[in-house]
Amino acid sequence: MLTIEGVVEDIKFRNESNTYTVAVLDTPDGKATIVGYIPIINIGETLRAEGEWVYHPSYGEQLEVNRVSIVVPSTVNGIEKYLSSGLIPFIGPKTAKKIVEKFGLDTLDIIQYNPERLKEIEGIGDKKLKRIVEAFREQGEVREIMIFLQQYGITPNYGMKIYKEYGKDTIKAISENPYKLSEDIIGIGFKTADKIAQNMGISRESPYRIEGGIRYTLNVYASNGHVYVPREELIKSAGRLLDVDEALIEDSLREMALKGAIQTLNYNEEIRIYYTPFHVAENNVSKKLVELSRVQMDNIDIDIDRAIEKIEREDNIRFANKQKEAIREAIKNGIIVITGGPGTGKTTIIKAIIKIFQEEGLKVSLAAPTGRAAKRMTETTGLEAKTIHRLLEYSYVEEGMAFGIDEDNPLDTDLLIIDEASMIDILLMNHLLKAIVPGTRLILVGDVDQLPSVGPGNVLKDIINSNAIKVVKLDEIFRQEEDSLIVVNAHKINKGEYPVLNKGKDFFFIRAREPGEIVNIIVELCRDRLPKYYGLDPINDIQVLTPMKKGEVGINSLNKHLQQVLNPKAKHKGEKQVGEEIYRVGDKVMQIKNNYSIEWEIVREGMVVEKGEGIFNGDFGKIVDIDEEDRIMKVVFDEEKEVEYSFNQLDELKLSYATTVHKSQGSEFPVVVMPIYWGPPMLLTRNLLYTAITRAKELIVLVGDENYLKRMVDNNRITKRYSSLDIKIKSVLSIF
């Protein structure tokens, strides 16, 4: 066995999926090529490699390594190469040179033990210092963890995801129970965790394995919107996954119930299995809804009809009977649901209710599940609306993420109006209701016919179906909206009728049969036809929506085509490739998972006027800078929130010239373009088409095959969601 030591000068080849690497070391005896499976390696690092010399007919002598370790650089040149290799955000070649010129051989000790001194370097302030220190600390932890994970076949890509979840406790967490990976890490399914567990010698009939399989099965159901799973269905699903005797699954279910991990409910001779947090959330929500609905509201003593007439005179409008009913009931009741499709005047009602309450000197708060929905609510009402998470002050505390506004510190408001309520899942609804004290009015506004929440539960529909909460359903289209085919066709589709095509000014259908033809037409519409005819900004004003992620008319394909024509490669534009995705300055991107701790700033005239935390799943932004020196990408959300992402955070973003209809919920766009083509029946549904159409504010263009359009209208398949909020509300009500 031979050992050599040197600085990594070049990485000739690296397969990220299996870590096979060909690299060149600069050793005291000259250049040496090393080959093998090396879990983590970066240019500028000093490696100690153990192995045997082999001869390759094309590349000559190479050291085939079977073990490598990292050696702390011991020369000024080595330290500079190490720091400038891209390992640490905010330190590129120029900054690395400045640091090493200042601190010499003491550089690494200063970063580790006295990092405040880095602020002596021009350009390093508090924010940069914090990121540098965190990244430097991670390097030592990550190497040890990567080497541990590699022996079980875990690639560096997944290794980093695992490290982000468990941090310095990664090795301990996986050693104790590798099946937690399938619960906690997106992309690692049960089979991968099972393979790791088998490599670690865990028996196929281990209680860890059986419980892990049950938990994974419950999570799969939850990801499809279910709050519970019928016991027999759960046993069969887990049995197919685990391939063990069902008696072992039944034993594990009993153990999980004794530990409190799951809860059971017997309803109509069906035993339902809940993850405990979902069961608790449904119980809490049902009790709180009934409690709010039973409170006698008497703090507004006005002539409601006279107040309505006053608003009609002042705003020169005429309320429909259902709208007047909604206003009356909002004043009389502790909680009310206002539901209806587009053009039925939901916003007009909200504005009237706000006006009445404010004239009575009462405090009004507005919120919505997403940033875009909250922004739209602000624009239409003139009153600031927040995301529900921001309203409840969701942020990091010592124990992790928590809501600052809760039952112990409730909302200080007289009226809370929540828009886009169909998007609220059972867990978020639980936290929202915890923060509301009886006597506060709650108005839930939403379109119950849209796609349900991404998270588990069917909250708005269950509340309506319970018949326990006052509901006003708006079904009359405003006269001024009757000329809009977007509104007319949305209602026709919702009733199972085929839309009227190409007879109005805002709803068009372009016929095309082949997917390639559909893509070409969509590209032409976004690049040329729509911007020229309507004077639109092709990036900011037009949104392509599609039912699917994959395929020729899926988001992955469409984003590549649209990026090429709307934001082509240019010398002056920075860009960064991550996997198969290329990010370029000027690109439209979307946050694809909640990041509650990421910091944002609003800068005006060179001054920071506001700071905050949190960018959420579904938020749209625009890339404004890519800095290779500091290894960061700057994205602006909502046209003013500046956020800096280190390059290792870019998996949180996705190009969004095209996005799925599901991701568009809560958003509204001036123009929507949508392909109509073959897809799985579970995606080509009436309510998905309805949701897509109602995202368009001024114009929608459908491109594709009319036969599939008709199939979508005919397919009223609404996937059954296992939820029981309506039953629990009725049960609570029977006690009162």
Side-chain angles (χ1 to χ4, degrees), residues 179-415:
Y179 292 101
K180 277 183 63 63
L181 293 171
S182 64
E183 288 185 66
D184 300 336
I185 310 299
I186 294 173
I188 294 185
F190 178 81
K191 290 182 179 178
T192 303
D194 201 28
K195 184 179 177 183
I196 295 165
Q198 301 305 309
N199 290 341
M200 295 175 74
I202 294 176
S203 164
R204 286 180 57 78
E205 296 186 351
S206 160
Y208 276 133
R209 181 172 186 268
I210 308 300
E211 183 173 329
I214 292 170
R215 287 179 178 272
Y216 177 74
T217 304
L218 284 169
N219 278 329
V220 169
Y221 274 88
S223 69
N224 289 318
H226 302 293
V227 176
Y228 71 85
V229 187
R231 185 176 185 274
E232 294 306 312
E233 186 174 334
L234 176 61
I235 289 172
K236 284 183 168 49
S237 295
R240 287 192 295 270
L241 178 74
L242 292 163
D243 192 24
V244 296
D245 193 300
E246 287 187 358
L248 291 173
I249 298 172
E250 292 173 347
D251 289 343
S252 188
L253 284 172
R254 281 191 287 272
E255 285 296 316
M256 292 174 73
L258 286 172
K259 290 189 298 185
I262 60 172
Q263 302 289 327
T264 61
L265 178 69
N266 195 331
Y267 180 76
N268 279 356
E269 299 183 354
E270 177 187 71
I271 298 175
R272 299 174 171 184
I273 306 293
Y274 296 77
Y275 246 148
T276 294
F278 298 158
H279 181 69
V280 170
E282 271 199 345
N283 288 346
N284 290 347
V285 169
S286 60
K287 290 174 186 174
K288 194 59 177 279
L289 287 171
V290 172
E291 183 182 13
L292 291 173
S293 71
R294 304 288 286 188
V295 173
Q296 187 68 36
M297 309 303 292
D298 55 9
N299 61 335
I300 294 185
D301 183 19
I302 63 171
D303 185 326
I304 299 175
D305 289 336
R306 183 172 293 179
I308 291 172
E309 290 172 5
K310 181 172 179 283
I311 292 173
E312 287 181 322
R313 285 196 311 273
E314 291 175 349
D315 296 346
N316 193 27
I317 57 176
R318 204 72 167 154
F319 291 116
N321 289 334
K322 283 286 183 73
Q323 289 182 306
K324 291 178 182 178
E325 180 189 352
I327 296 169
R328 289 191 193 98
E329 297 299 335
I331 293 171
K332 293 193 302 188
N333 288 275
I335 178 170
I336 179 177
V337 173
I338 300 173
T339 185
T344 55
K346 296 189 295 293
T347 299
T348 305
I349 293 170
I350 291 173
K351 290 165 71 174
I353 293 169
I354 291 171
K355 195 169 188 178
I356 290 171
F357 274 75
Q358 287 183 330
E359 287 183 355
E360 289 294 307
L362 299 174
K363 185 176 179 181
V364 179
S365 299
L366 309 180
T370 68
R372 286 183 72 90
K375 184 180 180 183
R376 194 174 75 246
M377 203 177 184
T378 299
E379 291 169 348
T380 56
T381 65
L383 191 65
E384 183 191 14
K386 300 177 180 178
T387 63
I388 295 174
H389 283 88
R390 189 177 170 204
L391 177 79
L392 301 181
E393 297 181 5
Y394 193 62
S395 61
Y396 269 111
V397 294
E398 287 185 9
E399 299 80 20
M401 299 301 298
F403 290 94
I405 302 294
D406 55 18
E407 61 267 53
D408 297 321
N409 181 30
L411 285 167
D412 177 21
T413 192
D414 297 298
L415 169 65

Side-chain angles (χ1 to χ4, degrees), residues 368-377 379 419-420 422-423 450 543 545 588-591 616-621 638 656 659-672 690-697:
T370 68
R372 286 183 72 90
K375 184 180 180 183
R376 194 174 75 246
M377 203 177 184
E379 291 169 348
D419 200 9
E420 297 288 355
S422 63
M423 297 178 65
Q450 287 186 21
Q543 183 61 50
L545 301 181
K588 185 177 183 179
V589 292
M590 175 188 280
Q591 180 82 9
F616 302 106
N617 188 358
D619 286 352
F620 286 87
D638 297 330
S656 62
T659 190
T660 62
V661 178
H662 283 85
K663 285 285 188 184
S664 74
Q665 285 179 269
S667 298
E668 203 175 60
F669 312 97
V671 178
V672 167
Y690 173 79
T691 300
I693 288 170
T694 55
R695 299 308 89 205
K697 190 160 60 173

Side-chain angles (χ1 to χ4, degrees), residues 567-575 584:
N567 191 32
K569 185 180 181 70
K571 287 183 180 180
H572 66 280
K573 292 180 186 175
E575 63 178 52
R584 187 173 295 140

Side-chain angles (χ1 to χ4, degrees), residues 72 117 155 200 225 271 295 301 360 428 448 455 475 548 556 567 579 588 604 617 621 697 699 708 723:
V72 176
R117 289 201 61 194
T155 66
M200 295 175 74
I271 298 175
V295 173
D301 183 19
E360 289 294 307
L428 184 57
V448 74
D475 51 17
M548 293 159 290
N556 296 329
N567 191 32
K588 185 177 183 179
R604 292 180 188 143
N617 188 358
K697 190 160 60 173
L699 175 69
Y708 290 113
S723 64

Side-chain angles (χ1 to χ4, degrees), residues 509-564:
F509 188 92
I510 299 176
R511 292 168 177 82
R513 301 295 290 270
E514 299 300 323
E517 183 186 7
I518 293 171
V519 171
N520 289 338
I521 291 171
I522 289 174
V523 168
E524 185 186 356
L525 284 167
C526 295
R527 179 188 59 197
D528 300 319
R529 290 167 62 178
L530 294 176
K532 287 178 181 176
Y533 190 83
Y534 293 98
L536 300 170
D537 182 315
I539 294 178
N540 295 324
D541 295 335
I542 303 172
Q543 183 61 50
V544 177
L545 301 181
T546 178
M548 293 159 290
K549 293 180 180 178
K550 298 179 180 178
E552 287 186 76
V553 296
I555 59 170
N556 296 329
S557 167
L558 286 167
N559 272 319
K560 285 182 180 178
H561 285 95
L562 290 166
Q563 183 191 46
Q564 287 172 6

